[in-house]
Amino acid sequence: MHTVWKGSISFGLVNIPIKLHAATENNDIKLRQLHKECNSPISYQKVCPVCDKEVQNDDIVRAYEYTKNKFVVLDDEELEKLKKENEDKAVEIIDFVKLEEIDPIYFEKSYFMAPDANGGKAYALLRKALKDSGKIGVAKIIIRSKEQLAVVRVYEEALLMNTIHFPDEVRNVEDVGNIPSEETVVQKELDTALLLVDQLTTVFDPTKYTDEYRTALMDLIEEKKSGNVTVAAQEKQPISPSNTTDLMAALQASLDKTKKKKPATRKRTTAKKNA
């Protein structure tokens, strides 16, 4: 697996060199956008709306918009310094808590943790401690310049790190409209609902759930491929001789027009002296 982060994590005086690997992957089918006339892929350019020209990466700076159209510009050196100051710190498990105390709304992305060189013994120690205690560790880590709150737990025989949202990143449920208040529920209706829940209750098996839309989309794509219902992007055509002639004619006309506007220069005449 590709390593996305490399460093160490500690609890107490135990330090564990580790590597992180993404535990999940996005299997969405990516569709390209083509120009309907020639089937060429559409490219997107970064254009300044004021200067009305394409902007290169070297001409772009990062900034924080603190109010409408008012910015604080942050240069790369300042951002890199902040990143270094935080990345140099070892990732430390701050607390141990029970998994059921954390609502799933906080969970974000999962990473497998693998021991790095000489870290196997300490890795196994932390795994055993978490298993026997039934607890998970809460830690902080910086990934791609962003400080993340995370939990470390046991998944099968591996240590797994879940990044979780900070409290201020979870929106207040009170801001959601049209949530009904506590209402009197008819007992007969509740009994029927509970019976339905009981009938549908089973042991969770993730393998029984599939992305039916993605499967159907891939089947459609393969069907079109096998039926040769495909298109090819057209190559960019070179400028034809007629276009070249038109362009030269326009340039020549512009040059002639400029000559006509230019005032005539008087020639100086030198009187011949009599011998």
Side-chain angles (χ1 to χ4, degrees):
M1 288 185 181
H2 174 66
T3 301
V4 298
W5 188 90
K6 187 175 180 179
S8 64
I9 187 168
S10 64
F11 67 108
L13 299 177
V14 179
N15 188 71
I16 312 168
I18 60 164
K19 295 181 288 185
L20 291 187
H21 310 279
T24 59
E25 59 184 357
N26 185 349
N27 286 329
D28 286 349
I29 299 171
K30 295 181 174 61
L31 301 178
R32 295 290 303 273
Q33 291 185 323
L34 307 181
H35 185 201
K36 191 175 181 179
E37 290 185 14
C38 64
N39 300 314
S40 298
I42 301 299
S43 61
Y44 294 90
Q45 299 173 322
K46 297 176 182 177
V47 177
C48 174
V50 175
C51 301
D52 194 25
K53 66 178 183 180
E54 185 179 354
V55 180
Q56 303 300 321
N57 288 337
D58 291 343
D59 298 320
I60 297 175
V61 295
R62 285 180 282 183
Y64 174 74
E65 187 173 15
Y66 61 92
T67 189
K68 183 68 174 177
N69 290 330
K70 299 289 184 181
F71 304 92
V72 174
V73 176
L74 302 166
D75 60 46
D76 291 340
E77 290 76 14
E78 292 170 323
L79 295 173
E80 189 65 26
K81 183 180 178 182
L82 289 177
K83 179 181 174 183
K84 289 288 186 184
E85 288 175 353
N86 286 278
E87 279 190 338
D88 289 343
K89 298 176 182 178
V91 179
E92 181 182 3
I93 293 179
I94 307 166
D95 297 305
F96 289 95
V97 301
K98 291 182 178 180
L99 178 60
E100 55 267 28
E101 294 174 346
I102 304 177
D103 191 278
I105 196 173
Y106 283 93
F107 284 81
E108 190 178 16
K109 191 170 177 61
S110 302
Y111 298 91
F112 288 127
M113 300 174 65
D116 207 352
N118 302 318
K121 186 175 181 179
Y123 183 97
L125 174 64
L126 177 57
R127 180 180 60 193
K128 182 65 172 171
L130 293 176
K131 273 186 177 181
D132 290 357
S133 66
K135 303 289 180 62
I136 63 173
V138 179
K140 283 185 177 181
I141 184 173
I142 290 186
I143 301 176
R144 299 187 183 95
S145 303
K146 184 181 187 300
E147 185 175 61
Q148 300 260 205
L149 195 59
V151 296
V152 179
R153 61 189 181 91
V154 178
Y155 176 78
E156 297 182 0
E157 291 304 311
L159 289 178
L160 183 80
M161 175 178 284
N162 286 106
T163 55
I164 63 176
H165 293 288
F166 285 100
D168 61 354
E169 294 177 319
V170 177
R171 292 176 174 173
N172 195 331
V173 69
E174 294 176 359
D175 296 334
V176 182
N178 300 322
I179 296 180
S181 58
E182 188 68 29
E183 295 184 3
T184 303
V185 177
V186 178
Q187 188 61 44
K188 186 177 180 179
E189 294 175 343
L190 178 59
D191 291 340
T192 304
L194 290 174
L195 180 61
L196 179 60
V197 169
D198 186 60
Q199 290 176 347
L200 294 176
T201 299
T202 184
V203 176
F204 178 66
D205 178 11
T207 60
K208 67 180 284 190
Y209 307 104
T210 58
D211 188 338
E212 295 179 8
Y213 171 77
R214 188 180 71 205
T215 302
L217 180 56
M218 277 308 304
D219 288 344
L220 176 61
I221 291 171
E222 290 300 326
E223 182 183 336
K224 283 180 170 285
K225 280 174 58 181
S226 60
N228 203 27
V229 187
T230 60
V231 296
Q234 293 183 14
E235 294 184 5
K236 188 176 180 179
Q237 298 297 321
I239 299 175
S240 62
S242 60
N243 289 339
T244 304
T245 304
D246 292 343
L247 179 60
M248 288 303 299
L251 290 172
Q252 186 61 51
S254 299
L255 187 60
D256 294 341
K257 189 175 181 181
T258 305
K259 285 182 178 179
K260 290 178 181 178
K261 288 183 178 180
K262 190 175 181 181
T265 305
R266 293 183 179 179
K267 294 181 180 180
R268 292 184 179 179
T269 56
T270 305
K272 292 182 180 181
K273 292 183 179 180
N274 294 326

